């Protein structure tokens, strides 16, 4: 039964490919937007032979990961603080709402003038975009403590610091993990967007180049690579989370 | 009671008001090119708003966004109800949809802008391309999370497909659909800005870019802050709308679970 599902899932991918090929053969698509599948396959081969492919992928991956790391390092403590103290939550609510509604990518022109077109600018944009999901998820996590656990902690008069490290943080970890997972996919999106707008080395900049050389199939292949990178990162994170939070899943949640 | 409300208001507003006040006075009279004084940013923004120039850009951007959101809503919810309503379809399309969603929409911006020009169509297309996925996936999730008894009931009474989708699946999935729309709202703002940076002759993004290229720093900052304000107001408005549209949902505590 399980195998049957996988066959159908692969079938959907193949079906889309067939539709694409048939549509192309009937010239339903504008080839400047959707080139033929064969041209894309050929472009994948050409791109594979180019020495700049690996550095390109690496720059996008590295800057995304650095941005997420900064966002997590700042966002988790901030989120815990906000989640633990209701007064802090009330005070930061408007600033936080503004921050999460703000599209980080809109900062590009200002950043280009102030910080120049550099990896630093790109990483800062990624960190800003990823900061808010981490904070929001951490706040949820810090609040999800069961009343019985809180009562136990209170009646045993567990000291504040130990309480945060040993009780609140572990309880919030599954939510923090979700926040990081969200950030990982956001980071790739922002990285590619920033690379396109600022021409900083990475997948986005190569897409721009491919576009100027009129190599649309190459641009499509690079776009697909960015998608694969996003899926791979979130799968990898699921695996890491499964190992790190094995205790959580075993107990069926706190 | 009102004293309590007042204290709450004070706690909520001291930080944002304090931050803006601090920025206002700390930047007063500065000669920094990159960080112009806030009072100048505000005054040039008000100048451009009242002259109608910025208001026109804002209108162009908003129309593109709303058109894109409306189209994505129709496609996303329509497909989502069909896919979500059938277990086989849901399972078969899962990995494919997850992959397509992971493709960064920003990546196709240069291709689309070059192929379709600088008018409104490429922008709406890009917004739809990006916003369909959160709505579609949330609709599917919403239908999947429904009480199976309701679906069985619909089957037992042989409720026609269209009626079932509109009256049972749509209403049942509405909370999740709203959540998807909320994500799509933020996504549409991002795509609106990127597409206007890359190629446009009007719009908020175009304004920021034009001012940046003229090294008019105060105007560029003003446009950027205005974009943030737009996002904030739109999500606040949507939250209101959501609460209004889902008031029945919040009133009855989990209708599905209470029955079973």
């Amino acid at each position: 039964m399980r195998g049957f599902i996988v066959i159908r899932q692969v079938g959907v991918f193949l079906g889309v490919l067939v539709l694409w090929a048939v549509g192309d053969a009937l010239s339903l698509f504008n080839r400047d937007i959707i080139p033929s599948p064969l041209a894309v396959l050929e472009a994948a081969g050409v791109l594979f032979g180019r020495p700049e492919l690996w550095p390109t992928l690496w720059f996008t991956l590295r800057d995304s990961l650095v941005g997420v790391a900064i966002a997590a390092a700042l966002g988790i403590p901030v989120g815990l603080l906000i989640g633990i103290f209701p007064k802090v939550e009330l005070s930061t609510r408007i600033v936080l709402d503004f921050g999460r509604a703000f599209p980080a990518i809109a900062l590009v022109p200002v950043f280009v003038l102030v910080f120049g077109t550099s990896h630093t600018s790109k990483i800062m944009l990624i960190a800003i975009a990823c900061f808010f999901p981490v904070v929001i998820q951490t706040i949820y996590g810090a609040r999800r403590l069961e009343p019985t656990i809180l009562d136990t902690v209170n009646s045993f008069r567990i000291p504040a610091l130990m309480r945060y490290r040993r009780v609140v943080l572990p309880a919030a970890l599954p939510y923090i993990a979700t926040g990081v997972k969200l950030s990982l996919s956001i980071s790739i999106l922002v990285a590619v967007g920033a690379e396109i707008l600022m021409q900083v080395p990475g997948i986005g900049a190569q897409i721009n180049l491919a576009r100027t050389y009129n190599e649309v199939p190459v641009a499509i292949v690079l776009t697909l690579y960015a998608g694969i990178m996003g899926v791979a990162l979130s799968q990898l994170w699921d695996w890491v989370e499964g190992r790190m939070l094995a205790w959580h899943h075993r107990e069926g949640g706190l | 009671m009102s004293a309590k409300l007042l204290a709450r208001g004070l706690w909520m507003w001291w930080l944002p008001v304090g931050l803006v006040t601090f920025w206002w006075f700390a930047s007063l009279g500065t000669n920094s090119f990159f960080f112009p004084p806030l009072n100048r940013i505000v005054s040039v923004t008000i100048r451009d708003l009242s002259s109608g120039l910025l208001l026109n850009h804002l209108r162009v951007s908003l129309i593109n966004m709303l058109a894109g959101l409306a189209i994505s809503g129709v496609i996303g919810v329509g497909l989502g109800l069909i896919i979500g309503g059938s277990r086989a379809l849901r399972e078969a399309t899962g990995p494919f949809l997850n992959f397509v969603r992971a493709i960064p929409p920003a990546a196709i911006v240069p291709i689309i802008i070059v192929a379709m020009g600088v008018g409104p169509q490429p922008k709406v297309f890009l917004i739809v391309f990006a916003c369909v996925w959160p709505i579609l996936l949330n609709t599917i999730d919403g239908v999947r999370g429904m009480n199976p008894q309701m679906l069985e009931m619909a089957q037992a009474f042989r409720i026609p497909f269209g009626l079932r989708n509109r009256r049972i699946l749509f209403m049942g999935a509405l909370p999740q659909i709203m959540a998807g729309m909320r994500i799509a709202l933020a996504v549409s703002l991002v795509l609106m800005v990127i597409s206007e940076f890359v190629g446009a002759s009007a719009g908020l993004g175009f304004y920021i870019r034009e001012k940046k290229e003229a090294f008019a720093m105060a105007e560029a900052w003003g446009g950027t802050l205005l974009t943030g304000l737009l996002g904030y107001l739109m999500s606040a408005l949507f939250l209101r709308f959501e609460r209004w549209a889902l008031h029945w949902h919040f009133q009855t505590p989990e209708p599905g679970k209470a029955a079973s």
Side-chain angles (χ1 to χ4, degrees), chain B residues 179-196:
Chain B
M181 288 292 279
R182 209 173 336 120
I183 300 171
L185 192 70
V187 173
S188 73
L189 193 65
V190 171
L191 263 292
M192 183 272 280
V193 169
I194 297 184
S195 62
E196 286 173 357

Side-chain angles (χ1 to χ4, degrees), chain A residues 101-109 197, chain B residues 61 64-65 109 113 123 126-127 186-200 202-209 223-224 226-228 230-231:
Chain A
F102 188 85
I105 209 83
L107 284 168
V108 166
L197 294 173
Chain B
S61 296
N64 286 347
M65 263 176 84
V109 172
I113 298 276
K123 274 124 211 154
L126 284 165
I127 292 172
V187 173
S188 73
L189 193 65
V190 171
L191 263 292
M192 183 272 280
V193 169
I194 297 184
S195 62
E196 286 173 357
F197 282 164
V198 171
L204 211 48
F206 169 77
Y207 174 83
I208 300 173
R209 201 190 123 140
T224 310
L226 200 63
T227 310
L230 179 69

Side-chain angles (χ1 to χ4, degrees), chain B residues 208-227:
Chain B
I208 300 173
R209 201 190 123 140
E210 193 190 41
K211 294 305 176 192
K212 171 225 150 195
E213 264 150 28
F215 294 101
M217 211 57 206
E219 281 87 344
W221 271 112
T224 310
L225 290 175
L226 200 63
T227 310

Side-chain angles (χ1 to χ4, degrees), chain A residues 5 8-10 12-13 16 30 32-33 87-88 90-95 97-115 188-189 192-193 196-197 203-204 207-208 211 216 219-220 222-224 226-228 230-231, chain B residues 7-8 11-16 19 33-35 88 91-96 98-99 101-112 114-116 125 186 189-190 193-194 197-198 208-209 212 215 217 220-221 224-225 227-229 231-232 235:
Chain A
I5 292 170
R8 280 194 292 200
Q9 288 173 339
V10 174
V12 169
F13 277 93
V16 171
N30 177 355
D32 285 337
I33 300 174
K87 287 275 190 312
V88 180
L90 213 53
S91 305
T92 52
R93 186 181 289 173
I94 291 170
V95 177
D97 279 349
F98 186 81
R100 70 200 277 205
F102 188 85
I105 209 83
L107 284 168
V108 166
V110 169
F111 268 38
V112 166
L113 284 185
V114 178
F115 303 106
I188 301 278
L189 304 183
V192 172
I196 283 177
L197 294 173
I203 295 176
I207 289 175
N208 267 349
R211 185 51 260 186
V216 176
I220 299 279
L222 286 165
T223 305
L224 292 178
I228 293 169
V231 172
Chain B
R8 203 182 131 83
W11 273 109
M12 256 173 79
W13 284 98
W14 75 268
L15 187 65
L19 281 175
F33 169 72
F34 295 126
F35 301 101
E91 283 174 348
T93 52
F96 178 76
N98 270 316
F99 172 70
R101 181 181 54 166
I103 293 174
I108 64 162
V109 172
I111 303 173
I112 299 297
V114 172
M116 292 172 73
F125 177 86
L189 193 65
V190 171
V193 169
I194 297 184
F197 282 164
V198 171
I208 300 173
R209 201 190 123 140
K212 171 225 150 195
F215 294 101
M217 211 57 206
W221 271 112
T224 310
L225 290 175
T227 310
L229 212 59
Y232 178 73
S235 72

Side-chain angles (χ1 to χ4, degrees), chain A residues 46-242:
Chain A
V46 172
L47 198 63
F48 199 75
R50 287 190 189 164
E52 71 262 22
L53 174 64
W54 299 111
T56 297
L57 296 179
W58 167 240
F59 283 138
T60 300
L61 183 66
R62 184 198 65 186
D63 292 349
S64 299
L65 291 179
V66 173
V68 172
I70 295 172
L74 297 174
I76 295 170
V78 168
L80 284 176
L81 266 176
I82 297 175
I84 291 164
F85 302 108
K87 287 275 190 312
V88 180
E89 192 274 330
L90 213 53
S91 305
T92 52
R93 186 181 289 173
I94 291 170
V95 177
L96 219 57
D97 279 349
F98 186 81
R100 70 200 277 205
F102 188 85
I105 209 83
L107 284 168
V108 166
V110 169
F111 268 38
V112 166
L113 284 185
V114 178
F115 303 106
T117 53
S118 59
H119 284 286
T120 321
S121 284
K122 196 207 313 183
I123 291 172
M124 276 167 56
L125 285 171
I126 296 168
I128 292 172
C130 295
F131 174 76
F132 292 97
V134 173
V135 172
I136 307 279
Q137 290 296 324
T138 309
I139 295 174
Y140 284 146
R143 295 252 189 84
R144 278 297 156 95
L145 211 53
E146 273 196 15
T148 40
I149 296 179
L150 262 182
D151 288 345
T152 315
V153 170
N154 280 337
S155 53
F156 278 95
R157 304 202 181 190
I158 305 229
L161 204 67
M162 189 168 158
R163 177 171 135 180
Y164 295 134
R165 259 215 359 240
R166 290 298 173 87
V167 183
V168 177
L169 186 62
L173 271 181
Y175 292 88
I176 296 175
T178 308
V180 173
K181 190 179 167 185
L182 281 172
S183 298
L184 281 172
S185 45
I186 292 171
S187 72
I188 301 278
L189 304 183
V190 177
V192 172
E195 286 157 5
I196 283 177
L197 294 173
M198 300 199 291
Q199 204 58 33
V200 184
I203 295 176
Q206 287 298 321
I207 289 175
N208 267 349
L209 277 182
R211 185 51 260 186
T212 35
Y213 294 140
N214 225 1
E215 295 179 317
V216 176
V218 172
I220 299 279
V221 173
L222 286 165
T223 305
L224 292 178
Y225 283 166
I228 293 169
M229 196 182 273
V231 172
L233 274 182
S234 89
Q235 294 282 338
L236 203 68
W237 183 254
D238 279 346
W239 180 78
V240 170
E241 192 198 326

Side-chain angles (χ1 to χ4, degrees), chain B residues 244-257:
Chain B
W244 171 79
L246 295 179
H247 66 98
W248 52 272
H249 174 71
F250 292 122
Q251 269 169 3
T252 41
E254 308 216 22
K257 272 174 196 153

